[in-house]
Amino acid sequence: DQQVKQNSPSLSVQEGRISILNCDYTNSMFDYFLWYKKYPAEGPTFLISISSIKDKNEDGRFTVFLNKSAKHLSLHIVPSQPGDSAVYFCAASGLGGSNYKLTFGKGTLLTVNP
Amino acid sequence: DSGVTQTPKHLITATGQRVTLRCSPRSGDLSVYWYQQSLDQGLQFLIQYYNGEERAKGNILERFSAQQFPDLHSELNLSSLELGDSALYFCASSVGLAGMGEQFFGPGTRLTVL
């Protein structure tokens, strides 16, 4: 049972335009959400996060929006650059038993075309 | 460079064999996490150790085991290997116990079982 879903396996956008990556979750115990970026042959690297007490967090070109009632979050990249081309993973964290652990989605491959 | 090191980078072995993957966390990080990434799956959480003790378990098979040593490095042991165990195995580390906040990922070990 996939608790974190990224329904778009891939997304292609033009350089300079906005990239919007979406993520849905089913577990209402999740209270912290993260986005990771992964280049080929490298491990995932942390991009941005948001706590469930917020609905928006911004860091430079990257903004994450959280809609708790819809159990949906999205990552906006503006403007998109060719170097942003990578796989983006959405992850959620919540109390499972007495410990927190991260649950990842399957990822979305973003391609930014020059 | 995340500061997390994993060895070896690549491992090719046969079915039925046993292998050990090694991870050194970032300096100062007490938590170590192991993840498996198969071809059609996202990152699957396997197990977490904190300061030498097992703290959380995910979808880890009984044929797999892990430990964290006093110097905080960790090893993931995979035995009675099957073709389906072929995957990328990532180690991550974080300062504290919780899954909230950033985890720093190593470059991964690619395991191929023939």
Side-chain angles (χ1 to χ4, degrees):
Chain A
D1 176 32
Q2 269 235 290
Q3 298 186 60
V4 177
K5 295 178 188 176
Q6 295 177 255
N7 291 319
S8 298
S10 63
L11 175 68
S12 184
V13 300
Q14 283 300 119
E15 180 178 6
R17 306 295 289 267
I18 184 171
S19 296
I20 300 177
L21 297 107
N22 293 303
C23 178
D24 297 295
Y25 61 96
T26 57
N27 189 339
S28 55
M29 295 296 288
F30 289 146
D31 55 11
Y32 192 71
F33 304 88
L34 307 92
W35 284 93
Y36 280 80
K37 180 168 78 171
K38 186 182 180 304
Y39 293 117
E42 294 183 15
T45 55
F46 171 76
L47 201 53
I48 192 169
S49 63
I50 187 167
S51 162
S52 60
I53 61 172
K54 291 185 163 185
D55 55 19
K56 177 182 173 181
N57 188 27
E58 227 172 318
D59 184 1
R61 297 185 297 112
F62 303 91
T63 303
V64 56
F65 295 92
L66 175 61
N67 182 334
K68 283 192 296 292
S69 59
K71 293 193 176 70
H72 176 83
L73 63 153
S74 61
L75 174 68
H76 292 211
I77 306 173
V78 184
S80 302
Q81 299 173 354
D84 296 329
S85 298
V87 176
Y88 288 78
F89 290 98
C90 168
S93 171
L95 193 59
S98 58
N99 292 293
Y100 282 86
K101 55 185 181 182
L102 280 184
T103 302
F104 282 83
K106 290 190 177 184
T108 296
L109 173 62
L110 173 66
T111 303
V112 180
N113 302 301
Chain B
D1 184 0
S2 67
V4 178
T5 60
Q6 288 187 248
T7 56
K9 246 188 155 154
H10 302 275
L11 200 45
I12 301 174
T13 187
T15 54
Q17 295 298 304
R18 173 190 165 95
V19 297
T20 298
L21 313 184
R22 183 189 166 105
C23 167
S24 292
R26 285 188 330 152
S27 176
D29 284 358
L30 298 178
S31 271
V32 169
Y33 311 78
W34 286 98
Y35 292 88
Q36 179 193 56
Q37 185 183 19
S38 305
L39 209 57
D40 58 347
Q41 297 288 327
L43 286 153
Q44 301 282 320
F45 169 72
L46 295 178
I47 197 163
Q48 177 199 358
Y49 279 82
Y50 176 79
N51 204 21
E53 290 190 13
E54 182 186 305
R55 293 310 299 248
K57 236 175 176 173
N59 303 320
I60 188 165
L61 299 171
E62 281 191 21
R63 300 183 284 110
F64 296 1
S65 65
Q67 53 184 326
Q68 186 180 28
F69 295 87
D71 67 352
L72 300 177
H73 91 271
S74 178
E75 292 181 357
L76 178 68
N77 300 297
L78 316 176
S79 61
S80 303
L81 284 168
E82 301 175 359
L83 295 177
D85 297 328
S86 296
L88 261 172
Y89 291 85
F90 288 103
C91 167
S93 72
S94 66
V95 171
L97 241 185
M100 293 183 74
E102 185 177 353
Q103 290 181 16
F104 295 86
F105 281 78
T109 293
R110 181 171 292 282
L111 174 66
T112 303
V113 182
L114 302 175

